[in-house]
Amino acid sequence: MGGAALRSRAPAAEEGSTGAAAPRKLAPGLYVVATPIGNLGDLSPRALETLAAADAVVCEDSRITGALLHRFGLDKPLVVYNDHSAPRVRPQLIARLAQGAALALVSDAGTPAISDPGYRLVKEAHEAGIPVRCVPGPSAPIAALSIAGLPTDRFLFAGFLPPRREARRRELAALGAIPVTLVLLERGSRLPELLADAAELLGPRTAVVARELTKIHEEVRRGTLADLAAVYRTGPPPRGEIVVLLGPPERDAQEASEAAIDAALLEAAARLPPGRAAREVAAATGRKAEELYRRLQRLRAERTEG
Ligand code: SAM
């Protein structure tokens, strides 16, 4: 029991200290700390301990993280690290870490670096020989996947698809040809269009819209893509934060997957020479480029004949 408790703590600089007194001193390094996606009760004891003990907290937005820390009675130096400030701030953070600082990286909500700032900082910390440790916890895409009732043995997280409709349809067609559960993020205002396009391009599949997870207005809708598209077609767009999950083509709906490949091929061939179109779809789907090239020629011949 005691051993497990000790292991569950952030690594301590002072080995041998049983550390009853908080905050414990942290070993130097970058700590990637997950924070709640809505319900503050989801901040783990170890996350709290790490935030309390870090020399500074690196965050996307000082107001949001300041409010979270305040809620837990912490007052820490904050360093703002977002898309705007990252190029300027990152070398300073790496220099501090190299000098032995213990820095906690958080995002506005959920797990840093997952569709949030952090990837380059983590990468450069590794490259500089700085220890990088995780303090895992909530993450909206994984939370949604865990309750979706869709296959989880293989899934693909694609974040936000492009906002422009044409580019989004292109990506949907390419992603839809891969036989895995797709996990997407979307704004309420674009959800109806995303579902309508997915229903048209990907054919019959089970899908889930997970909205405002862990919050008061949490809502999980599960059904066929066509049914969900119909639910959101009318009325005001849904509010709040949303994860959309698209199940893989069902075994007896293999035809739909083949139709998605045809759609992706024809779409790519409208922009690119046939060889490059086949290679692009091959890269996205794991199919062989030569096979797709022949298929494209056949499709075009059928269209000419038809
Ligand atoms: N790094 C974060 C994580 O691990 O949860 C994800 C960051 S991403 C920029 C934020 C998006 O995640 C939101 O726009 C929304 O699509 C989704 N999201 C965040 N919180 C959510 C919640 N409570 N319920 C449903 N979706 C959520």
Side-chain angles (χ1 to χ4, degrees):
M1 224 14 216
L6 269 179
R7 273 201 305 279
S8 76
R9 288 180 171 278
E14 299 153 9
E15 296 295 338
S17 137
T18 51
R24 277 164 68 90
K25 184 141 177 56
L26 282 180
L30 178 63
Y31 293 76
V32 180
V33 181
T35 58
I37 58 170
N39 189 323
L40 291 186
D42 293 336
L43 187 75
S44 75
R46 184 165 167 250
L48 187 55
E49 186 180 60
T50 305
L51 293 170
D55 294 312
V57 176
V58 180
C59 62
E60 272 185 279
D61 182 327
S62 56
R63 282 165 307 179
I64 291 175
T65 298
L68 177 76
L69 296 180
H70 181 73
R71 173 72 179 67
F72 287 92
L74 297 179
D75 181 17
K76 303 292 298 183
L78 298 177
V79 180
V80 174
Y81 182 82
N82 53 30
D83 291 343
H84 180 66
S85 70
R88 178 175 49 82
V89 174
R90 194 163 49 244
Q92 298 166 9
L93 293 174
I94 295 292
R96 275 186 81 172
L97 288 162
Q99 284 162 15
L103 300 181
L105 172 69
V106 300
S107 57
D108 286 350
T111 300
I114 307 299
S115 272
D116 267 339
Y119 151 67
R120 281 180 199 281
L121 180 61
V122 168
K123 176 173 174 279
E124 289 187 19
H126 281 295
E127 288 166 357
I130 292 158
V132 180
R133 303 188 195 283
C134 64
V135 184
S139 186
I142 296 296
L145 186 64
S146 73
I147 57 165
L150 294 172
T152 52
D153 51 341
R154 300 209 307 162
F155 64 89
L156 193 158
F157 173 60
F160 289 99
L161 296 186
R164 281 187 45 248
R165 189 164 190 206
E166 204 182 303
R168 197 170 63 229
R169 284 173 65 90
R170 197 155 60 226
E171 282 225 14
L172 262 178
L175 291 171
I178 309 171
V180 297
T181 295
L182 297 176
V183 185
L184 309 174
L185 307 176
E186 193 50 286
R187 292 182 209 295
S189 57
R190 284 202 285 263
L191 181 72
E193 209 171 66
L194 172 72
L195 292 173
D197 284 344
E200 178 197 326
L201 292 168
L202 308 186
R205 307 185 177 207
T206 306
V208 172
V209 174
R211 194 170 71 83
E212 295 285 88
L213 295 176
T214 78
K215 304 185 197 177
I216 292 171
H217 298 294
E218 174 169 320
E219 179 186 64
V220 179
R221 286 183 187 262
R222 187 175 188 280
T224 66
L225 244 181
D227 286 348
L228 285 178
V231 166
Y232 290 103
R233 190 172 298 133
T234 52
R239 289 159 172 261
E241 302 198 277
I242 296 169
V243 180
V244 180
L245 304 103
L246 308 176
E250 283 155 28
R251 216 174 274 248
D252 58 357
Q254 188 61 30
E255 258 177 38
S257 158
E258 298 304 315
I261 290 183
D262 288 349
L265 270 176
L266 289 169
E267 189 287 320
R271 292 178 284 115
L272 301 168
R276 280 181 58 197
R279 284 199 295 279
E280 182 182 283
V281 179
T285 59
R287 302 278 180 116
K288 290 210 171 82
E290 307 82 66
E291 176 209 318
L292 292 180
Y293 182 82
R294 286 195 297 276
R295 184 167 173 159
L296 177 58
Q297 304 297 59
R298 206 170 53 241
L299 278 172
R300 284 183 146 175
E302 281 166 12
R303 292 208 147 192
T304 316
E305 285 162 16

